Amino acid sequence: MGKLNHIKAIKPTVILLVLLSFVLSGCAASNRDMSDVADQLRHNLPIQSAINKIEAVQVESQSTAQHQLNLGYLQLLNGDYNNALINFEQAKKTMASLQATSISENLSSATVNETLRSYSGWPTDQVLVHGMMALAYLLKNDLNGARVEILQADVSMNRLAASKSSQGQLAFVHYLAGVIYELNKEYDSALISYRMALNILTRHNEIIPVPLRQSLIDLTARNGLDNESKSYQEKFRLSLSKPHKNKQFIFAFDGVVTQMQEAKTTLWWDIDDVYLSVALPKFPQNRYVESPFYINSGNGEIVTQTIESIEKRAREDLQEEMPKISAMALARAGAKFQTVKELNKKDNTLGAFANVLSIISEVADLRHWSLLPSSIQIATIYDKSGAINPSGRYHLQLGLPQGRLANNNKITDEDTNQVISTGNQLLANKNAVILLSSLTNKIHIANF
């Protein structure tokens, strides 16, 4: 009879161990699958194949936002703006709803591990989703939709800034806001956004890209702020741009952001005077080498410059949160240690099972927006029409199909709005937003 009671006491623990191992393996597997796609994209995996792989990933409910962000980003690069917007919108709503965190999820993450908490996005993710949506709306020629998203991005950045942290403050999003306002002829608002982008880059001690410098010079002069314009001209060693009717804004995404890894380490638990093993997220060494796009505009070669290093922002997000993550991991390991001690007093076998459970359940949360570009770059062209020919380190060579202009010298709106599967496209002499990526040979252009 004693042996039967012993078996009954062990059985629930065994079942719990098996079930928990299954849940944890599912969480880790979905994130690993998405990281594998990121690695394959670096090695020229076709964008549609990447989309198919991401769509096929079996995702636990607590990781849906991460999945939607990754899928939406790939769809944006592929020109599927409608589905990109659907996934971004769902991810945005999920992340916003998780700002009021679940008590049950907090309890699970405090006692088991962080992967049982629903993914609410890092600060960069929470702001950048608005920027990506604004870009998708622009490429759909929906200036109003883009304007709404950029206003929401401003709300998100203000909310994050209220905590006196620099997390989530993105120069790219402010610059994109300036572009949207400029296209909408709201020049005062555009200037404010460009100034904010400048302030962020200055705080980070990062290079101010020429397109932002030129926009500050031109818009201060346009708004009658001659002294400020002259000050910028002296500071940046640039002059007012030549008179122009139209301006083409180029955005280029390069590379794929580095993937998080798990690091096992020990932390001192002073309650029991022991070192406890914990699993923490980390980024490996940053080996990304920035690669600009070179664009033959007809008036000379233009080179894109970085407005946002996603590599740096992702690492800054993690660094800012590491004290909290480490404290939670240590408290969790301490609670497990206490449980093992108590069970050992009652039954050595149960204590052994609990110890195994505590070891295998300690998994670092490696979830992040893992398919983002390593850098976001910008350039501008003025009063341009004809072929646009960008190239980059990924053997991207885009141009006009041979004989296209010779047979049809008139550039129509249909020409300029069409994304050609070979990556070749015309650029009309209009205001335009252009998206390039090192992951695809497509050029996306919307004229305004």
Side-chain angles (χ1 to χ4, degrees), residues 285-302:
Q285 183 178 351
N286 184 1
R287 300 187 182 279
Y288 169 66
V289 178
E290 184 178 301
S291 181
F293 290 75
Y294 298 87
I295 301 161
N296 182 359
S297 68
N299 295 320
E301 192 172 62
I302 294 173

Side-chain angles (χ1 to χ4, degrees), residues 238-282:
L238 292 171
S239 58
L240 282 167
S241 61
K242 295 179 181 179
H244 59 275
K245 293 182 179 179
N246 301 298
K247 189 174 178 181
Q248 291 90 36
F249 302 91
I250 297 174
F251 295 91
F253 296 153
D254 181 52
V256 182
V257 72
T258 304
Q259 305 299 290
M260 281 188 192
Q261 296 178 355
E262 181 175 274
K264 293 285 188 178
T265 188
T266 56
L267 298 175
W268 180 251
W269 179 245
D270 56 10
I271 293 177
D272 292 287
D273 292 330
V274 293
Y275 280 101
L276 298 178
S277 177
V278 296
L280 300 174
K282 73 166 187 177

Side-chain angles (χ1 to χ4, degrees), residues 292-400:
F293 290 75
Y294 298 87
I295 301 161
N296 182 359
S297 68
N299 295 320
E301 192 172 62
I302 294 173
V303 183
T304 59
Q305 293 180 291
T306 294
I307 185 76
E308 197 77 68
S309 171
I310 302 300
E311 286 286 345
K312 292 181 180 178
R313 300 296 88 81
R315 291 165 190 271
E316 289 165 358
D317 280 353
L318 179 58
Q319 183 178 5
E320 183 83 10
E321 294 296 316
M322 274 310 294
K324 187 188 301 181
I325 293 171
S326 298
M328 178 68 81
L330 181 58
R332 187 166 53 240
K336 293 175 182 177
F337 183 78
Q338 291 291 339
T339 300
V340 171
K341 279 204 317 181
E342 292 301 316
L343 287 175
N344 269 325
K345 292 176 183 177
K346 298 177 181 178
D347 188 297
N348 288 336
T349 305
L350 283 176
F353 273 116
N355 188 50
V356 172
L357 176 60
S358 69
I359 292 171
I360 69 167
S361 65
E362 188 56 31
V363 179
D365 188 357
L366 307 180
R367 293 172 297 176
H368 62 125
W369 194 345
S370 51
L371 300 187
L372 282 174
S374 291
S375 69
I376 299 176
Q377 305 171 16
I378 57 173
T380 50
I381 309 175
Y382 297 89
D383 290 336
K384 176 72 173 71
S385 62
I388 176 172
N389 301 280
S391 63
R393 77 159 179 254
Y394 297 89
H395 309 293
L396 180 67
Q397 188 65 47
L398 312 178
L400 192 64

Side-chain angles (χ1 to χ4, degrees), residues 3 25 108 114 173 282 287 361 370 379 401 406-407 425:
K3 288 185 178 179
S25 65
S108 297
E114 289 292 328
V173 174
K282 73 166 187 177
R287 300 187 182 279
S361 65
S370 51
N407 296 328
Q425 195 170 23

Side-chain angles (χ1 to χ4, degrees), residues 20-38 40 53-54 56-60 62-63 66-67 70 113 115 259 262 363-367 370:
L20 189 55
S21 299
F22 178 76
V23 170
L24 295 176
S25 65
C27 295
S30 64
N31 188 72
R32 187 169 57 248
D33 288 343
M34 285 186 269
S35 292
D36 287 344
V37 172
Q40 292 168 37
K53 286 176 178 288
I54 293 296
V57 171
Q58 298 297 314
V59 181
E60 302 295 323
Q62 58 266 33
S63 297
Q66 180 200 23
H67 184 256
N70 280 328
N113 71 53
T115 65
Q259 305 299 290
E262 181 175 274
V363 179
D365 188 357
L366 307 180
R367 293 172 297 176
S370 51

